[in-house]
Amino acid sequence: MSLRFTDARLVCPESGERNGDLVVAGDEIAATTSAEAEGETIDLGGAILAPGIVDLGAFAIDKAAFAFGGIVRVGLMPDQSPVLDDPGIVQRAAMMGKPDLWIHPIAAATQALAGRDLSEMATMQQAGARAVSTGRTWIEDSGVMRKVLGYARDCGLTVIAHAEDGRLTRGAVATEGETATRLGLSAAPALAEPLAIARDIALTEETGARLHFRQVTTAAGFELVRQAKRRGVAVTCGVTPAHLFLSDIAMSDFRTFAHLSPPLRSEEDRQAALAALADGTIDVLSSGHDPRGPEAKRLPFADSAPGAAGADTLLALGLGLVRDEHLTLDRLFALLARNPAEVLGLDTGLLRPGQPADLIVIDPDRPWRIDADRMAAQAGNTPFDGLPVQGRVLKRFKGGVEH
């Protein structure tokens, strides 16, 4: 089947932004010109046509939330039940999104994510794993982390790491500072992040592996990544909207929806994150989708589980960064689609002939209000509850088929 999109505002991380047409043949993009095509014509009336979002590092398969947010591909973290540390489990996870969603499992770097014995990366890669990860936690043993990086390098897989020194963050639910002191919360120094990053960058430089920090959230952490990139180390990093829009002040009312991992940082670190976004240090913007039900969130702050639902709000908050002139629209889709695809070794995320026809149509100006009680996600725990935003997905295509 062929589709011809006309009067589209095409947004591509590679070729930029322009008005025009796009033709799909079967499951691929056939042309980005006004070429004639048999089949259905869809007049977009000036709406944005962009690559479907590749959400790197989600913790749950949440089809309704991904559809609402324009997410077509999901890099699924290994922190599942059971853990993605076995080829059969990885293979089943990869099948769970069909037919309307691509699931790309990220396998556990160590068995049961315990940080001791290496997993069978090669066999899990054959089963469909696109990367390996330390999961929600840091690998404390430097010898084990060195072996993980070396093994992953030999397999051609990227290691996705959690960047906090677990010996400093054990038992903590917040970042040390005025807010944590005033609330009486157990807190860890922000230094826990650059300590972990410095070690893992050194090991990556020595082994020649590829390393992606799923989230970097501190000024010192961004500076380490920035310097490593200048030296040519194969390191990339991501962030979620929460650490770009919110500081630890958001925890002031003990609202557990602001209990995240890594925890919200100081205003100085938030400003550093925006600067890292602007100068290209940050490569990936992801949802960090980790919906938690009331049984995990309706608890005292210190007893609640960290995590938030992010898939519904990722695009709208990203468009807010464009409106605030922190980045351009084509750069936003590099962060949302092309760059995360590259981390996973996928050739997608561009509006180029031959690319998969994973596409979204967006009205960037349509206003709506984030409502925790009415989200598409499995749970409505969002730190952005009540925030007015702009930008809605109108259509979503996977392999040329609307879902």
Side-chain angles (χ1 to χ4, degrees):
M1 179 180 175
S2 296
L3 294 172
R4 182 186 176 199
F5 297 96
T6 62
D7 192 17
R9 183 178 166 193
L10 302 171
V11 178
C12 174
E14 180 182 58
S15 57
E17 184 180 347
R18 66 178 177 83
N19 296 325
D21 299 351
L22 184 141
V23 177
V24 169
D27 60 0
E28 292 186 350
I29 296 172
T32 54
T33 65
S34 57
E36 292 295 326
E38 297 180 354
E40 184 181 359
T41 295
I42 302 175
D43 185 345
L44 296 186
I48 288 175
L49 181 62
I53 295 173
V54 181
D55 192 17
L56 178 59
F59 287 90
I61 299 173
D62 192 344
K63 290 184 178 181
F66 295 138
F68 184 92
I71 295 164
V72 180
R73 295 175 183 262
V74 175
L76 181 66
M77 292 294 285
D79 315 60
Q80 307 297 311
S81 180
V83 172
L84 304 185
D85 63 355
D86 174 86
I89 298 170
V90 167
Q91 196 168 35
R92 283 197 294 276
M95 302 291 288
M96 290 178 69
K98 292 186 176 182
D100 49 353
L101 184 71
W102 293 105
I103 298 292
H104 301 292
I106 299 169
T110 58
Q111 294 177 24
L113 290 170
R116 291 189 292 272
D117 301 313
L118 267 59
S119 60
E120 290 295 334
M121 297 183 198
T123 55
M124 289 194 290
Q125 183 181 27
Q126 292 170 359
R130 303 299 309 195
V132 295
S133 176
T134 67
R136 299 181 193 273
T137 59
W138 183 64
I139 292 180
E140 183 172 331
D141 188 319
S142 299
V144 172
M145 187 60 179
R146 183 171 181 265
K147 289 178 182 176
V148 164
L149 288 162
Y151 192 3
R153 175 207 57 207
D154 293 344
C155 293
L157 294 168
T158 298
V159 177
I160 298 174
H162 181 83
E164 282 187 299
D165 187 321
R167 290 164 298 192
L168 287 177
T169 60
R170 192 166 294 131
V173 297
T175 304
E176 284 185 356
E178 181 181 340
T179 301
T181 301
R182 183 162 44 81
L183 299 179
L185 296 174
S186 173
L191 178 66
E193 183 176 282
L195 276 178
I197 289 175
R199 186 203 70 172
D200 288 350
I201 284 178
L203 292 173
T204 301
E205 201 162 8
E206 190 248 356
T207 56
R210 294 199 308 267
L211 178 66
H212 176 77
F213 293 110
R214 190 175 62 84
Q215 286 202 68
V216 178
T217 58
T218 64
F222 289 120
E223 184 56 28
L224 287 168
V225 172
R226 193 177 286 121
Q227 292 176 7
K229 287 186 171 186
R230 288 176 184 153
R231 296 197 304 275
V233 182
V235 60
T236 53
C237 73
V239 74
T240 65
H243 289 92
L244 294 168
F245 284 95
L246 303 174
S247 69
D248 58 356
I249 294 174
M251 303 187 304
S252 293
D253 60 356
F254 291 102
R255 190 165 173 76
T256 57
F257 287 3
H259 184 186
L260 306 176
S261 175
L264 292 172
R265 305 298 191 184
S266 67
E267 178 61 19
E268 181 183 18
D269 283 327
R270 188 182 80 85
Q271 292 296 329
L274 290 171
L277 190 73
D279 71 12
T281 301
I282 292 175
D283 305 274
V284 172
L285 182 65
S286 62
S287 73
H289 192 64
D290 195 3
R292 301 281 191 166
E295 71 285 353
K297 284 294 188 182
R298 287 181 184 167
L299 295 169
F301 194 96
D303 298 327
S304 65
D312 303 51
T313 56
L314 174 63
L315 176 63
L317 293 169
L319 291 169
L321 294 168
V322 175
R323 271 189 292 276
D324 292 343
E325 299 183 345
H326 292 296
L327 72 171
T328 61
L329 196 53
D330 54 332
R331 165 85 175 137
L332 173 63
F333 278 91
L335 294 161
L336 291 174
R338 183 56 174 176
N339 295 351
E342 288 184 338
V343 172
L344 295 172
L346 302 168
D347 188 15
T348 186
L350 299 174
L351 299 186
R352 180 202 287 170
Q355 288 269 298
D358 298 338
L359 304 164
I360 52 175
V361 179
I362 306 162
D363 179 349
D365 300 319
R366 180 174 294 188
W368 59 288
R369 185 180 295 274
I370 298 171
D371 184 343
D373 295 326
R374 302 178 62 183
M375 292 177 68
Q378 293 170 355
N381 56 305
T382 169
F384 298 105
D385 186 26
L387 182 72
V389 292
Q390 287 179 252
R392 287 289 289 266
V393 174
L394 305 178
K395 294 178 180 291
R396 170 177 167 270
F397 296 85
K398 170 179 174 278
V401 177
E402 184 174 1
H403 291 279

